[in-house]
Amino acid sequence: MITVDPKYTSQDSPVCGHRERRPLWVREFTCPACGASLHRDVAAARNILAKAWTGPSGRDALAS
């Protein structure tokens, strides 16, 4: 099992990483920096997956 800190995962763009703080009732995530448009939960899931694939050092966990 890999643990991931969920902090800011629904506020960060999974495409460019731009952080846009919005109230929880806003369910659509549209990034003003890159234009990515996703449901907030989908954006969070993609960010969590990306964090899980990266080791504590910030390097890809699968790289040798």
Side-chain angles (χ1 to χ4, degrees):
M1 176 173 29
I2 299 172
T3 59
V4 173
D5 183 2
K7 189 182 281 188
Y8 305 116
T9 56
S10 65
Q11 297 176 23
D12 293 348
S13 168
V15 177
C16 71
H18 175 78
R19 182 166 295 155
E20 185 75 18
R21 188 173 185 149
R22 299 192 179 161
L24 286 175
W25 58 266
V26 176
R27 302 311 299 164
E28 187 71 23
F29 178 88
T30 303
C31 180
C34 69
S37 182
L38 301 159
H39 188 280
R40 184 181 187 127
D41 294 341
V42 172
R46 289 186 181 184
N47 286 326
I48 289 170
L49 181 61
K51 285 183 176 187
W53 281 91
T54 304
S57 66
R59 295 182 23 210
D60 187 342
L62 300 178
S64 44

